[in-house]
Amino acid sequence: MISKIPEIDTVELHYFKESDDRKQVSKIPFLKIIDQTLLPGKIEFLYLSETEEIREAIYLLKVRGAPAIGVAAAIGIYVIAERIETENYEEFFKSFDTTKARLASARPTAVNLFWALERMAKVVTENREAGVKVIKGLLKKEAENIRDEDIEACRKIGEHGLSLIKDGDGILTHCNAGRLATVRYGTALAPIHLGREKGYNFRVYTDETRPLLQGARLSAFELYVAGVDTTLICDNMASTVMKKGLIQAVFVGCDRLAANGDVCNKIGTSGVAILAKHYGIPFYSFLPVSTIDMSLKTGDDIVIEERDAGEVTDMWYKEPMAPKGVKVFNPAFDVTDNELITAIVTERGIIRPPFDKGLRDIMGANP
Ligand code: MRU
């Protein structure tokens, strides 16, 4: 059993050095990630530099969680761009644009993927006259900015979130919106980590989050090894722990927030929100502003990823858990109606209903 997550960021820009004890010493950058599909059994780092392997890492959830996907895409497209061997802008742009389209096709729902790729593309188009070499340097800077902004945003989200709970509270969380889903602190779990540092003792209930078990494999792991009082439950036990009075708040992340405050998050989130409403428990969604999509009026306009049937019938089990050939519906996300949400917590503050006005106010001229 691994007893600690190493003190490194979930997503990194990496250069091999002699001290890395590897043959492949290089001045050329790599995208470094923890392979989250191997957790909690094994900690293994991946060093990626090719379009298809980075796309696959995102599709297979080796790196996952909306903010981490965005940062991985930004660093990823930079390391690929660094390897484009031409000084000719048109050729460089064509290659960059093809890569961008491939990476963008990895997953459809978390807006951070597209947001980060668009920010990187803007650097290329706005600096055409500067030349390819300068553009590569600017791409590196922008990828680093996106990474640093994520760290800062999550830290602030944690501080705002901490003001919503008190020592000893029971928190239910769904999926993993922790440090493994961002560069460092997490979003929904940032207040828990921060609170732990300050000596608070929260009791966190994490549901398994079928079918890919981000709750069991990732949240339970990262909280448990951080020394947080952690209890794992199956998804269908949420009502029981709420009814028993064990839960004082629900904390979840978000993959895309519509302009009316509808929260798109991991499948099962809306069910937890409906239960919380029934039992009168506050339900909070935590996200950086990079997850807000003001172009979408409501959550109905969000594209929901549907994934392979095998994730439901076979994955994680020694034997298939369903009859071969049975029809399977496997949406990866759902939309929680804004009326079920008590507040939305961002790095710019806590937004309470009416969300459309609150979101317009915090986004202002800086969406
Ligand atoms: O399919 P995943 O694991 O990428 O889904 C992740 C979630 O739904 C998280 O709750 C969300 O991305 C917020 S992460 C800070």
Side-chain angles (χ1 to χ4, degrees):
M1 162 76 191
I2 298 161
S3 58
K4 203 170 182 300
I5 306 180
E7 284 302 319
I8 64 135
D9 294 339
T10 302
V11 184
E12 280 190 303
L13 178 59
H14 186 86
Y15 295 84
F16 286 103
K17 302 184 210 86
E18 298 288 353
S19 57
D20 284 335
D21 193 22
R22 283 163 194 272
K23 292 192 186 88
Q24 203 182 356
V25 176
S26 169
K27 285 199 178 106
I28 305 179
F30 288 80
L31 165 64
K32 178 181 177 184
I33 57 170
I34 300 179
D35 184 347
Q36 298 194 32
T37 60
L38 302 178
L39 292 172
K42 197 169 162 192
I43 291 194
E44 198 170 291
F45 298 105
L46 299 175
Y47 300 87
L48 310 174
S49 61
E50 285 169 24
T51 305
E52 289 313 311
E53 62 181 8
I54 293 173
R55 184 183 181 280
E56 190 195 66
I58 296 172
Y59 175 70
L60 292 179
L61 276 59
K62 291 179 181 179
V63 57
R64 36 68 50 202
I69 291 172
V71 177
I75 295 178
I77 202 162
Y78 161 61
V79 305
I80 296 162
E82 192 64 71
R83 288 166 171 79
I84 300 173
E85 286 178 5
T86 180
E87 292 299 314
N88 178 289
Y89 178 84
E90 303 303 335
E91 284 174 18
F92 178 80
F93 177 77
K94 202 167 161 225
S95 180
F96 181 92
D97 206 41
T98 308
T99 300
K100 179 179 160 233
R102 273 310 279 162
L103 295 184
S105 72
R107 297 189 74 187
T109 304
V111 71
N112 303 59
L113 174 62
F114 314 104
W115 168 87
L117 289 172
E118 285 311 324
R119 260 182 75 166
M120 296 298 282
K122 212 164 159 215
V123 168
V124 176
T125 51
E126 285 184 352
N127 292 287
R128 184 194 169 99
E129 305 308 326
V132 170
K133 195 159 177 254
V134 173
I135 289 175
K136 286 181 179 176
L138 294 171
L139 282 171
K140 177 180 180 202
K141 190 87 208 68
E142 189 68 338
E144 286 171 339
N145 288 343
I146 290 173
R147 176 200 62 199
D148 294 348
E149 287 167 25
D150 182 71
I151 295 170
E152 185 57 15
C154 288
R155 205 182 48 73
K156 286 187 177 150
I157 287 170
E159 278 161 13
H160 292 308
L162 205 49
S163 71
L164 298 169
I165 43 179
K166 55 179 196 325
D167 198 15
D169 274 357
I171 320 286
L172 175 67
T173 192
H174 180 69
C175 195
N176 173 262
R179 61 172 283 200
L180 289 164
T182 65
V183 178
R184 221 169 269 182
Y185 306 103
T187 55
L189 298 187
I192 312 290
H193 288 304
L194 211 65
R196 167 107 196 120
E197 277 171 28
K198 294 182 191 237
Y200 294 106
N201 289 305
F202 299 119
R203 295 170 293 106
V204 181
Y205 288 79
T206 173
D207 66 25
E208 286 179 307
T209 318
R210 284 273 294 150
L212 294 184
L213 303 175
Q214 289 93 332
R217 294 186 303 106
L218 307 176
S219 293
F221 170 63
E222 85 165 61
L223 291 166
Y224 181 67
V225 299
V228 175
D229 178 340
T230 308
T231 305
L232 176 64
I233 59 169
C234 298
D235 295 340
N236 51 8
M237 297 169 189
S239 173
T240 292
V241 291
M242 288 182 182
K243 192 169 185 175
K244 279 179 174 294
L246 297 169
I247 307 298
Q248 279 65 56
V250 178
F251 280 12
V252 298
C254 180
D255 286 86
R256 197 185 287 231
L257 185 85
N260 69 342
D262 285 352
V263 166
C264 180
N265 192 49
K266 179 53 54 195
I267 189 73
T269 302
S270 68
V272 176
I274 290 165
L275 290 175
K277 178 108 177 170
H278 178 77
Y279 289 109
I281 297 167
F283 182 97
Y284 301 105
S285 179
F286 295 73
L287 50 128
V289 297
S290 54
T291 302
I292 301 174
D293 188 346
M294 293 299 277
S295 75
L296 300 182
K297 277 200 189 127
T298 77
D300 294 343
D301 301 330
I302 297 171
V303 178
I304 302 291
E305 175 180 20
E306 280 191 38
R307 294 184 63 89
D308 195 76
E311 291 181 351
V312 177
T313 56
D314 293 55
M315 217 168 164
W316 318 113
Y317 296 101
K318 278 197 180 127
E319 302 292 335
M321 291 300 286
K324 199 170 160 41
V326 72
K327 278 200 288 181
V328 170
F329 178 44
N330 184 19
F333 300 93
D334 63 22
V335 174
T336 300
D337 297 335
N338 57 18
E339 65 195 32
L340 298 171
I341 296 158
T342 309
I344 290 160
V345 185
T346 75
E347 69 272 35
R348 295 187 192 166
I350 300 174
I351 309 160
R352 294 185 184 270
F355 293 120
D356 48 357
K357 179 178 176 324
L359 286 169
R360 273 199 314 274
D361 288 350
I362 67 146
M363 294 309 272
N366 188 16

